[in-house]
Amino acid sequence: MANNKTEKNTLVHDTISLFVITVVAGLLLGIVFTVTKKPIEQQEAKTKAEAYEAVYEGAEFAEDPDTDKALEAYNEELAAGTVTKGGEVLSDVEITEALKASVDGQDAGYVMTCSAKGYGGEVELALGIDNEGTVKGIRITSCSNETPGLGQNSAKEDWNGQFIGMTTGQEVAVVKDNTGSTESGTINAISGATITSRAVTRAVDGALGFVAGLSE
Amino acid sequence: MGNLFVIIISSMLVSNVVLSQFLGICPFLGVSKKIETAAGMGAAVTFVITIASAITYPIYYFILEPAGLDYLETIAFILIIAALVQFIEMVLKKFMPALHASLGVYLPLITTNCAVLGVALNNVTDYAEESFGYGFACSVVRGLFTAIGFLIAIVIMASIRERCEYNDVPKSFQGTPIVLVTASLMAIAFCGFAGLV
Amino acid sequence: MNSCTERLKNGIITENPTFVMMLGMCPTLAVTSSAINGLGMGLSTTAVLVMSNLMISLLRKLIPDKVRIPAFIVVVASFVTVVQLLLEAYLPSLNSALGVYIPLIVVNCIILGRAEAYASKNPVLPSVFDGIGMGLGFTFGLTCIGICREVLGSGAIFGKTFIPDNFHITFFVLAPGAFLVLSFLTALQNKLKMPSATNVGAQGDIACGGNCAQCIGTSCAANKGILEAERAAEKAAKAKAAKEAAAKAKAAKEAAKKQEGKEKSQVAAAAAKEKED
């Protein structure tokens, strides 16, 4: 009986101490979370702003309700798989944000963040498109799930610079025989990373399609 | 449905949990000497990963996410998994002694198997924005087939090791190095699945 | 202070977690595709290791023995989340490069292993230095493997390319290359007869790719405990049987001298068998 009682006591004691440790840990995490929340948001905003600045130099960006509405509708179309371009269904493409760009107070196109599914996960990129529907600049903001040395090379400017100058009228496609050119709307694939190259191309196609729809 | 099929193929073969994601390497290298033990370990992992993904997803979806506590996911999941492993062991011991006898020794090892936690975390990051029913189905299917991918990899590994046991391996490569070379060759073979999805 | 430097040396050289103990293989293989990732992962793990060692050493008298493993897990998981939040806030690029492997530091057997084997039994200062030593050892290992793979695979060190594109062997940054590089490193160690978990030969049976005698991973330690308990039980049973046999023999001796020789030979056989075991 006595043995039983002490056993029960230690059980209660063990449970309580484990509970206290967990609660203290939870509280501490809560504090750290609130402390780091702001820097995390700032960091994200900063990275985004830098990317937009890089893809559309000298412009200012602002949200626009009409664009947001159109974007929502377009994203639904994308997800439903009804948008095709360059012979591919763009069902994995998503445009997460689109801002109006203005230079000296005049409308000058859009900047947007869009993503598509690459080899190991989402590839995310920022894109600047001017009023004529021409790609002004592109920057891969996240491709860390792609293969280093292959898919991650998509972040290098000497590859993704190929997209600059593509227009809304074109259906950008990937070619593997190094014959890509702006005029024909083709991009040379990164050798060994066709899936990543295609993903970036789909995302750009999706974004161009969106802008084309807006100006109609 | 088509989507679920893609999840099945990609979690089982294309991004095989051991050979391309490097999760669960310890049991893969350590418990792969005999086919029987490897299959036992694989079965135990399958069991735990499937149940763990079925439990962690609703907990994230209904408790952590609405309360804005998603930063607690790591600590919550590891505790759930640890408790779950204990619980499964008790249940098996009581109601399915035969299964317990064959899986029992492997169960405690699974708490620190990073594949379980890895799959749970990947599930919530990938499917948190889906509707509950669909996300839940995806999580469970992915859990089950990731684990089957583990089972396939570890059983193949064990078969190869059994065959190679009496091979004349250069002295420096005996033991772990030759196992790692085998793993490397297997990983090359699994790279061949890359174009499937 | 002497014991502190000893702990540092122990972690970095004598019991290097990557090369000697072969612990934490998952991050070792997964994030070492470039030197900078290896370094980042190593330092994050070091931070978690130092803080968890400190905390567990402080709490070692308060944590009940029975629930120590869950308690350790809670402590480690909290620090991992802290590190993850800090990385997200101040080093977002590293955070996205390491991805899911940051939360997976929780199940890295180095951390629980050190908590169980060292921090829960020793005072604060040596525990902290033990954490620093082990962490730096791990960082060193990961960075080395990262450099090997980066040089061979993308012809660069820490992102600075110095080998022209045509000479890159992309294989080494892919998954199979990770296994191959590690296999050659361990083979090299075997060749040089450096102390390593792999050196013991092909006997290593359970987990961590090595032998359990040197492994400090908790699961393996538990395993070893089970095995040893089983062995002890077996031994006790055998001893009991032998005793009984001996008692029987004694009784028989008194009863009939004829039986003696036979029984004796049985006991001798049992003894011989035990010796063999």
Side-chain angles (χ1 to χ4, degrees), chain B residues 19 22 25 28-29 32 156-157 160-161 164 167 169-190, chain C residues 22 25 29 171-172 175-188 190 198:
Chain B
L19 296 170
F22 302 109
I25 295 286
F28 178 69
L29 297 179
S32 58
I156 294 179
M157 183 62 157
I160 298 177
R161 281 181 78 175
C164 294
N167 284 7
V169 177
K171 198 149 185 308
S172 320
F173 274 87
Q174 279 168 11
T176 314
I178 192 69
V179 177
L180 288 167
V181 172
T182 316
S184 168
L185 292 174
M186 281 173 68
I188 296 176
F190 271 73
Chain C
M22 304 276 297
M25 296 318 287
L29 291 165
F171 173 78
F172 284 102
F179 286 113
L180 201 67
V181 167
L182 195 65
S183 115
F184 273 83
L185 283 176
T186 46
L188 192 69
N190 279 359
T198 60

Side-chain angles (χ1 to χ4, degrees), chain A residues 14 17 25 29 43 144 147-148 150, chain C residues 33 64 66 78 89 92 96 170 173-174:
Chain A
D14 288 357
S17 35
L29 279 184
Q43 197 66 248
S144 53
T147 320
L150 292 175
Chain C
S33 52
K66 254 195 213 155
S78 331
S96 64
T170 316
V173 287
L174 300 177

